[in-house]
Amino acid sequence: MTFHVYNSLTRSKAPFSTIEDGVVRMYNCGPTVYGRPHIGNYRSFLFADILRRWLEYLGYEVRQVMNITDVGHLTDDTEADSSGEDKVEARARAEKKDPFEITREYTAMFLEDMAALGVKEPMARPKATEYIDEMVEMVEALIEKGHAYRVGENVYFDVTSFPEYGRLSGNRVDDLEAGKRVEVNEEKRHPADFALWKSDAAHLMKWDTVFGADGFPGWHIECSAMAKALLGERVDIHTGGEDNVFPHHECEIAQSACANGVPLAEVWMHAKFLQVDGGKMSKSLGNVYTLPDVVGRGFEPRHLRFALVRGHYRTQINFTWAIMDEIRARLENLDEIAVLLHRILDGGAAAADGAGRETLTAAIDGFEAGMNDDLNMPVALAALEGLRKPLLDGTLGADVARDAMAWLERANSVLGFIETGAQSADAEVEALIEARTAAKAAKDWAAADAARDALTALGIEIQDTPEGVVWRRR
Ligand code: AMP
Ligand code: ZN
């Protein structure tokens, strides 16, 4: 089965193909760096990472760009023409800091979290403030082609000039007007027109351009310009979270198509929102969690990685601390597959050569079929998890185990949350057992108990026998 992806633009699943043979150009909408990203944001970013890794598993070269929004994203961003304060500047005022200091600090935290979550570095991480010239150039092109107009020092996109406006989100220009959801702005020709360039003397981050002395870009034009600068006029895949469909991506589609004369992306993919405690994360409920919150509760970043990618990206998934406990146990079982394989490879008992070959083939086929079906992770994981029982039952031959280990490493090059270096896991267990034995000899019962608790936490059961300590994984 070839890789099939669901395209939000056509609302259908179709075989994936690329503009250039063997190369995937992919643009992912990144964070607005006005706070430490929360675990919901990471669902979107990890979805992009899994997608990139799956494309690499399939043999593609992936040119991946994930931007950093450090200006122009306003607080009221559900309408096409965002309004309110700049999110970064609002934070700068609250923290009494320079906005560039704010973006520097939160970008550093974002990158730290991404590294901890095992996210591969994209080809580029452009910051919006570093592509102002490209944005201005694109806005000028839109004016020249009759798709945008200036009013004083502001520039608006004329939505009536692009008949396809609304195709992605299903919003129709007429409905946007009739619903009067759009704030009346006398400057605009049509209420649904949105700003490409804004001017405001009070704005802290502003640029002196052909449009005036105090301008800054609209959030949507940023991604259109950065995608073009780094990947060209056409990309294969553009991703984001479901809230990006409208207005952000709808506006990107319009701007890029009108400026470049070709559609921006072949495939648009959107991750559904992560829910927390069965609903929307909210400050008032105190459940807007970050990675450090999760680590503070005793989980490893890879537990969160697993928790956020375990569901199909287009279905809702929920986050609770009880779910995290289940995740930990489930991940231990996945780790155990590697441990059991290593045991065979290290000369442990195995079935006859060739035994269990079909079992391994079924696991690989099931995993690949799941991933090829629009990254259906639950199906893929179930296939992988199916390897554990035959290993516990001892029905794999040593040669099959060797192939299984090699493939597990490959599967984990996509998943990135399994501890496949089982040797080191064993070494950790041995070290704790030695520490406990030494503590007992020294009659340090508290230290001995602590070592035993640490072993229990790792899922290790120990037994004192006349020959010494014997251990096994639960
Ligand atoms: P922002 O920092 O607001 O620009 O958002 C960065 C990315 O996170 C966007 O692609 C959003 O769609 C995505 N996002 C925000 N909240 C969630 C959530 N609860 N679940 C999944 N993705 C989210
Ligand atoms: Zn974007």
Side-chain angles (χ1 to χ4, degrees):
M1 185 190 180
T2 52
F3 186 27
H4 281 57
V5 291
Y6 180 86
N7 188 345
S8 309
L9 190 62
T10 57
R11 294 176 177 78
S12 62
K13 222 189 283 186
F16 177 70
S17 60
T18 54
I19 298 165
E20 183 184 335
D21 253 4
V23 178
V24 179
R25 291 178 175 78
M26 173 160 83
Y27 186 91
N28 313 124
C29 280
T32 306
V33 281
Y34 68 108
R36 188 164 204 137
H38 54 62
I39 56 175
N41 298 130
Y42 287 117
R43 182 182 195 193
S44 287
F45 306 146
L46 285 170
F47 150 64
D49 183 58
I50 293 281
L51 173 57
R52 174 237 174 114
R53 287 164 174 255
W54 182 245
L55 289 164
E56 287 177 345
Y57 182 104
L58 294 176
Y60 289 104
E61 177 201 329
V62 184
R63 301 199 186 136
Q64 182 190 15
V65 173
M66 181 182 281
N67 73 289
I68 287 173
T69 305
D70 56 357
V71 68
H73 191 168
L74 307 187
T75 46
D76 303 319
D77 60 3
T78 53
E79 307 295 347
D81 198 16
S82 324
S83 57
E85 253 187 297
D86 190 300
K87 290 188 178 195
V88 168
E89 296 196 355
R91 189 64 172 235
R93 289 195 178 96
E95 292 191 22
K96 298 194 169 45
K97 285 183 180 161
D98 180 80
F100 286 98
E101 201 179 332
I102 291 290
T103 58
R104 218 172 20 248
E105 282 177 15
Y106 289 118
T107 299
M109 290 181 199
F110 163 66
L111 295 176
E112 197 181 299
D113 290 351
M114 291 286 266
L117 288 167
V119 175
K120 279 192 161 184
E121 266 307 292
M123 182 184 87
R125 288 195 186 283
K127 297 184 176 70
T129 50
E130 290 171 0
Y131 287 81
I132 298 294
D133 289 349
E134 287 81 353
M135 295 168 201
V136 170
E137 202 176 296
M138 200 173 224
V139 176
E140 285 188 290
L142 287 167
I143 296 174
E144 201 169 302
K145 293 184 178 180
H147 292 289
Y149 56 93
R150 276 182 74 162
V151 182
E153 297 186 0
N154 297 328
V155 185
Y156 295 97
F157 184 89
D158 173 4
V159 291
T160 62
S161 76
F162 184 61
E164 278 182 56
Y165 188 80
R167 181 173 167 216
L168 178 72
S169 61
N171 286 330
R172 288 181 35 235
V173 167
D174 294 345
D175 294 344
L176 287 171
E177 185 175 26
K180 279 278 173 273
R181 295 197 302 128
V182 184
E183 210 180 303
V184 182
N185 173 344
E186 298 296 333
E187 286 192 0
K188 296 196 286 190
R189 292 185 194 159
H190 189 286
D193 291 350
F194 57 91
L196 298 168
W197 193 260
K198 293 193 180 214
S199 288
D200 178 357
H203 210 261
L204 302 173
M205 293 177 285
K206 52 192 179 183
W207 289 264
D208 189 356
T209 70
V210 287
F211 309 124
D214 306 308
F216 63 97
W219 173 36
H220 318 311
I221 196 74
E222 297 178 357
C223 286
S224 283
M226 288 185 278
K228 182 177 182 177
L230 290 155
L231 293 168
E233 291 180 345
R234 295 174 68 199
V235 303
D236 297 290
I237 305 177
H238 195 313
T239 74
E242 60 176 330
D243 61 327
N244 289 150
V245 169
F246 188 85
H248 191 49
H249 290 167
E250 192 73 79
C251 296
E252 271 188 57
I253 287 174
Q255 299 158 164
S256 292
C258 293
N260 304 331
V262 286
L264 171 57
E266 300 298 306
V267 177
W268 290 82
M269 295 174 83
H270 295 97
K272 248 212 157 50
F273 264 26
L274 174 75
Q275 293 210 322
V276 175
D277 303 328
K280 212 172 165 224
M281 263 181 281
S282 87
K283 285 211 175 104
S284 58
L285 292 173
N287 63 7
V288 183
Y289 301 123
T290 62
L291 175 61
D293 294 332
V294 175
V295 171
R297 290 274 198 139
F299 295 100
E300 296 167 36
R302 72 186 182 112
H303 292 132
L304 182 62
R305 180 176 171 97
F306 184 27
L308 294 177
V309 306
R310 74 184 195 279
H312 185 237
Y313 73 92
R314 283 192 293 118
T315 62
Q316 214 151 52
I317 55 166
N318 190 21
F319 176 97
T320 65
W321 295 114
I323 289 174
M324 284 305 288
D325 288 333
E326 289 167 22
I327 286 290
R328 192 205 301 271
R330 202 172 152 198
L331 194 46
E332 270 168 22
N333 286 343
L334 281 168
D335 289 349
E336 190 179 26
I337 293 176
V339 172
L340 295 169
L341 286 171
H342 274 291
R343 218 165 271 169
I344 298 176
L345 301 187
D346 291 346
D353 267 5
R357 176 67 63 192
E358 314 75 47
T359 305
L360 174 60
T361 307
I364 298 175
D365 289 353
F367 181 83
E368 293 183 347
M371 293 304 284
N372 272 332
D373 183 14
D374 190 35
L375 305 180
N376 194 330
M377 189 60 93
V379 169
L381 283 175
L384 178 56
E385 285 168 327
L387 277 180
R388 181 165 167 264
K389 180 148 189 332
L391 277 164
L392 288 170
D393 294 346
T395 56
L396 293 198
D399 56 340
V400 175
R402 195 169 44 248
D403 294 347
M405 191 65 228
W407 176 71
L408 182 65
E409 299 275 10
R410 257 195 100 207
N412 198 45
S413 72
V414 180
L415 304 173
F417 45 69
I418 303 173
E419 189 71 75
T420 56
Q423 309 280 17
S424 59
D426 282 7
E428 189 182 355
V429 171
E430 304 286 355
L432 282 166
I433 289 174
E434 270 175 39
R436 176 170 169 271
T437 308
K440 276 173 72 176
K443 298 202 176 352
D444 184 349
W445 309 119
D449 285 348
R452 184 179 202 123
D453 289 347
L455 287 161
T456 307
L458 289 171
I460 304 299
E461 263 171 23
I462 53 173
Q463 222 186 332
D464 293 304
T465 72
E467 287 77 41
V469 178
V470 176
W471 65 272
R472 67 176 201 96
R473 273 172 214 277
R474 264 182 288 133

